[in-house]
Amino acid sequence: MEVLDHEPSSWSLLVDDGRLLLDVHVSQGPVGSSLVIALDDTERTAYRTEGRTYLHRLADQVQDSAPFAVGSTSPYRARDLTAEVGAELTRKVVAWRERHATGTGTSG
């Protein structure tokens, strides 16, 4: 698993065995959590075409869908991979942030 890009307090994009994973920080009032989805073919194509602009828009869509709200019908809720990859993903993002805060390294 490798961090490809990161937007502080919003999202992180990682690659894991060929899958592009988007970790979106979702906040509901005073509570925040992560929701991780694997980009589907349509999302991958949009990302290749639009880059970070698309990731910002997709992260906003995830946030606006209120995936953790009681009774949510968010299409992203059923795609949540946090239980599967969350621990490793968190370690990778924290290490990536530390390297970038000190100016060493560019990925990983």
Side-chain angles (χ1 to χ4, degrees):
M1 187 177 290
E2 177 183 354
V3 177
L4 300 176
D5 203 351
H6 173 73
E7 181 65 29
S9 301
S10 184
W11 54 264
S12 298
L13 180 70
L14 297 93
V15 63
D16 182 39
D17 292 330
R19 296 188 299 179
L20 286 178
L21 303 177
L22 186 65
D23 175 20
V24 180
H25 177 76
V26 177
S27 61
Q28 289 181 240
V31 179
S33 187
S34 282
L35 182 131
V36 180
I37 60 169
L39 299 188
D40 64 23
D41 290 341
T42 301
E43 293 161 344
R44 288 174 74 99
T45 298
Y47 169 61
R48 281 192 297 271
T49 303
E50 300 177 50
R52 292 183 107 240
T53 299
Y54 177 71
L55 296 179
H56 284 288
R57 192 168 65 248
L58 181 56
D60 287 345
Q61 289 172 356
V62 171
Q63 169 69 35
D64 293 346
S65 74
F68 299 126
V70 174
S72 173
T73 59
S74 169
Y76 304 104
R77 186 178 190 154
R79 295 173 57 189
D80 186 15
L81 299 172
T82 304
E84 176 187 332
V85 299
E88 181 180 2
L89 186 146
T90 298
R91 284 192 300 275
K92 295 291 184 174
V93 170
V94 167
W96 188 90
R97 286 180 189 163
E98 288 172 354
R99 280 194 305 278
H100 284 77
T102 61
T104 61
T106 59
S107 66

